[in-house]
Amino acid sequence: MLWPLFVSVVIIVALWKYFNHGQNDLARLPGPPKAPIVGSALAFIGLTQEEIFKKIIDLPSQYGTRVVISAFGRYILHIYGVEDIEIVLSHSRNITKSKPYRFMEPWLGTGLLVSTGNKWHRRRKILTPTFHFDILKTFLKVFEEQSRSMVDELRKLTKEGKDVLDVIPFISDYMLYSICETAMGIKLDSDTSQTKIEYKEAILDIGSIVMERLTKIYLHNDFIFYLHPLGKRFAKSLKKVHSFADNVIMERKKAYDRGDVGNAVNGDNGGSKRRLALLDLLLEAERKGEIDLEGIREEVNTFMFEGHDTTATALSFGLMLLADHEEVQERIFEEYKSLYGDSDQGTNMSDLGDMKYLEAVIKEILRLYPSVPFIGREIVEDFMLDDIKVLKGEEVVVHIYDVQRRADLYPEPEAFKPERFLEVDSRHPYAYVPFSAGPRNCIGQRFAKMEMKCALSEIVRKFRLQPMTRGARPTLKADIVLRCVDPIHVRLIPR
Ligand code: HEM
């Protein structure tokens, strides 16, 4: 009954905004043609995820470094300029995420990634110490073990004659095992119980459903979404993921209350069962009254999402690039040998810090293929972007992917050249932002780099990688993280 009224209000507001846009700075900026009411939305309707991605990354070459897309009276400003990016990302009050993030709320609640205002400030303060150097040091063992078992599995596959690897699902599994152990303290790989397999499948399913929903405007409405088969599948997977995480939290809490993991928090990381997990630190915060159980659930789910899909994507594109550049593999191998010789000793933090070339390789992978290609903010307080006023209620999208491929900042921008990051870096600090920057930068960036270093050095030490088609580059698509349309295959040759 209320629908006609609702639709009329939307039309009136959109028409009003359209005819009064003269007062709005954003309305004067270039962008795809804007029609009354629907704005530029028509340009995106019916496109596939890959066509949407291509259209969005082509915007700067068509319209310049500030582009406006409008829809139903809303203006969304897309920025590619380093100074503009600095103003937006370093703003201390415009830290609210844009509307699409709300599709992740049923899963992540308002955990660190999605929350805003005081809640975000409080959580960030509680969680920052959990990524302290000393804590990360204790995760190194997990990264190493996972990397070694990944390589063992690869060796087994090549022995069976399966030397062509379907990279993405393989890497994705291992990154999920790794985050499960570091975040929740459980080993997913060594246990094949049905619940754990279902958890793994459900978590991967949720990510892909969120993105499908994002690209289908008719599914944005909650009522329609949950009636749709996709929404039903989402609800089912969500139930599995939440109940699994809840059980782990409650089990760990019981152990913590008995003092079982308390020693681990105090630094005794002896046996694998007592190994420290991020969850233990959250339970410690709960004991001090800084967070409640619902908060712990939000943060555990947030780490599970942010901590596996992002690194898996980066490593998958990384292996693809390495396969295409044997000289880069050889330099990684040589660097490793110069540190360890032929010994198979474990890595320590200082060795990781000494892997300068590998560090440059990882930076270059994330320049070309940033796992999070765009980030969005909803403006909660008017602010000046140099000469233009951005109003409360508007949205700004920062194009990490595009700024990192600008030819004026990175000569031969499409080429994979880790050496760029070995030279003295005179670029603008916001020309390279794969982990975002400013107050809402990635809290897990050191964690991610350590994990990537362990995995890449271990693989390159044991295998030579070759491409299936030299020079081929994947077609990318709009998704919750950067993804490619077709699988990535590389050939593995044991060293
Ligand atoms: C290559 C790997 C990674 C990349 C490229 C990456 C990138 C990013 C980016 C761009 C943001 C900002 C998102 C936004 O503003 O909407 C972010 C935020 C975040 N990341 Fe990462 N990330 C990675 C790995 C990780 C890992 C391993 C963890 C945790 C274990 C993590 C946890 C988070 C969290 C909790 C936030 C929200 C921080 C806040 O808003 O205060 N990330 N990440």
Side-chain angles (χ1 to χ4, degrees):
M1 282 292 277
L2 287 174
W3 273 105
L5 181 65
F6 175 71
V7 171
S8 313
V9 171
V10 169
I11 291 174
I12 290 166
V13 170
L15 277 173
W16 185 84
K17 287 207 174 186
Y18 182 76
F19 288 110
N20 289 284
H21 65 219
Q23 292 148 27
N24 188 319
D25 285 354
L26 295 201
R28 286 194 291 272
L29 292 177
K34 303 173 184 72
I37 303 173
V38 289
S40 342
L42 288 180
F44 294 88
I45 285 175
L47 299 186
T48 60
Q49 280 171 256
E50 62 204 88
E51 286 164 338
I52 291 178
F53 187 82
K54 174 138 180 37
K55 203 162 185 82
I56 290 179
I57 61 163
D58 284 349
L59 290 173
S61 59
Q62 285 179 280
Y63 303 105
T65 56
R66 290 172 181 166
V67 180
V68 166
I69 294 179
S70 69
F72 303 100
R74 273 174 48 212
Y75 293 102
I76 305 167
L77 171 64
H78 290 248
I79 55 171
Y80 314 87
V82 284
E83 282 87 11
D84 283 357
I85 293 178
E86 175 166 16
I87 294 172
V88 170
L89 293 185
S90 60
H91 201 286
S92 58
R93 291 173 305 281
N94 275 319
I95 54 164
T96 301
K97 299 295 173 78
S98 57
K99 294 212 165 51
Y101 290 77
R102 87 177 166 83
F103 298 139
M104 291 197 269
E105 270 186 37
W107 176 19
L108 310 178
T110 43
L112 197 62
L113 180 71
V114 186
S115 63
T116 188
N118 285 340
K119 177 165 181 179
W120 172 79
H121 274 285
R122 261 186 286 115
R123 285 283 169 85
R124 182 87 189 196
K125 208 166 146 206
I126 298 167
L127 293 170
T128 298
T130 59
F131 288 90
H132 187 273
F133 183 86
D134 290 339
I135 309 286
L136 293 181
K137 221 160 56 178
T138 69
F139 294 153
L140 189 55
K141 201 95 201 110
V142 177
F143 298 151
E144 257 195 321
E145 279 173 14
Q146 287 301 344
S147 303
R148 284 181 188 210
S149 73
M150 185 156 71
V151 162
D152 288 346
E153 177 67 20
L154 290 175
R155 210 179 278 126
K156 208 173 105 208
L157 289 173
T158 49
K159 270 195 188 137
E160 288 165 5
K162 297 175 192 151
D163 60 345
V164 175
L165 180 71
D166 186 356
V167 176
I168 300 169
F170 180 84
I171 293 288
S172 216
D173 275 1
Y174 276 92
M175 290 303 110
L176 191 57
Y177 302 154
S178 204
I179 192 70
C180 254
E181 200 170 341
T182 46
M184 298 200 278
I186 52 160
K187 277 188 173 288
L188 211 57
D189 47 343
S190 58
D191 194 317
T192 48
S193 79
Q194 194 54 27
T195 336
K196 291 188 181 182
I197 294 170
E198 282 184 6
Y199 175 72
K200 190 180 105 177
E201 286 169 357
I203 215 162
L204 296 174
D205 199 33
I206 288 176
S208 73
I209 296 174
V210 167
M211 196 53 221
E212 200 173 332
R213 183 176 183 194
L214 207 59
T215 53
K216 292 187 171 146
I217 290 177
Y218 61 94
L219 294 178
H220 285 198
N221 177 282
D222 279 346
F223 182 72
I224 297 173
F225 176 64
Y226 286 107
L227 284 178
H228 191 273
L230 204 66
K232 292 190 172 139
R233 210 175 89 204
F234 182 74
K236 216 167 143 191
S237 290
L238 202 61
K239 203 168 154 205
K240 283 182 197 158
V241 166
H242 279 163
S243 81
F244 183 85
D246 290 349
N247 284 338
V248 174
I249 294 169
M250 290 324 290
E251 285 303 311
R252 198 86 180 173
K253 181 171 161 50
K254 275 188 220 152
Y256 181 86
D257 290 344
R258 284 197 307 269
D260 270 8
V261 278
N263 290 342
V265 175
N266 293 328
D268 169 15
N269 301 310
S272 64
K273 273 198 194 120
R274 297 171 84 82
R275 205 177 262 171
L276 187 72
L278 290 170
L279 176 53
D280 298 323
L281 300 159
L282 292 170
L283 290 167
E284 175 79 3
E286 194 227 7
R287 196 185 55 77
K288 292 190 212 148
E290 294 172 345
I291 193 167
D292 58 12
L293 278 177
E294 180 51 32
I296 292 185
R297 182 199 214 211
E298 289 177 338
E299 299 310 343
V300 164
N301 284 313
T302 297
F303 290 146
M304 289 304 299
F305 158 61
E306 271 289 322
H308 99 272
D309 225 0
T310 48
T311 39
T313 304
L315 278 174
S316 301
F317 285 116
L319 292 180
M320 173 198 82
L321 289 166
L322 288 183
D324 224 18
H325 294 267
E326 277 155 48
E327 73 292 354
V328 176
Q329 295 176 48
E330 288 319 300
R331 276 191 75 174
I332 297 174
F333 185 70
E334 288 309 320
E335 182 175 72
Y336 189 93
K337 266 184 46 184
S338 71
L339 286 170
Y340 296 104
D342 290 324
S343 123
D344 214 16
Q345 72 185 66
T347 318
N348 61 40
M349 292 295 263
S350 116
D351 294 335
L352 281 190
D354 288 340
M355 295 180 180
K356 302 281 183 228
Y357 184 70
L358 184 55
E359 173 101 27
V361 170
I362 290 171
K363 282 189 175 165
E364 180 70 342
I365 293 170
L366 287 169
R367 178 187 73 81
L368 280 169
Y369 296 100
S371 317
V372 183
F374 317 110
I375 51 184
R377 294 281 182 276
E378 183 179 323
I379 302 310
V380 293
E381 181 184 304
D382 295 0
F383 74 103
M384 293 302 293
L385 195 59
D386 192 10
D387 53 335
I388 61 164
K389 190 168 188 179
V390 185
L391 301 177
K392 182 177 168 180
E394 287 166 348
E395 286 182 33
V396 180
V397 179
V398 175
H399 282 238
I400 297 177
Y401 179 91
D402 297 270
V403 74
Q404 295 182 171
R405 285 183 185 232
R406 274 179 55 164
D408 56 337
L409 300 169
Y410 299 95
E412 292 182 72
E414 306 294 322
F416 178 58
K417 288 181 157 185
E419 312 80 73
R420 309 177 196 270
F421 290 101
L422 291 174
E423 295 150 11
V424 178
D425 193 355
S426 54
R427 276 177 290 266
H428 189 285
Y430 283 73
Y432 183 76
V433 283
F435 293 104
S436 185
R440 294 216 74 158
N441 69 351
C442 175
I443 201 171
Q445 56 185 294
R446 281 198 300 173
F447 177 115
K449 280 194 225 154
M450 278 171 63
E451 190 172 25
M452 286 181 71
K453 272 190 178 170
C454 285
L456 288 178
S457 61
E458 195 62 23
I459 294 176
V460 169
R461 201 155 68 94
K462 300 287 164 59
F463 294 94
R464 283 200 171 80
L465 311 174
Q466 284 181 352
M468 303 310 289
T469 317
R470 194 162 293 282
R473 288 292 177 262
T475 306
L476 302 171
K477 62 179 181 178
D479 204 318
I480 204 165
V481 293
L482 191 65
R483 291 200 203 281
C484 46
V485 176
D486 299 310
I488 294 176
H489 288 118
V490 301
R491 190 181 300 283
L492 296 160
I493 299 148
R495 279 188 192 266

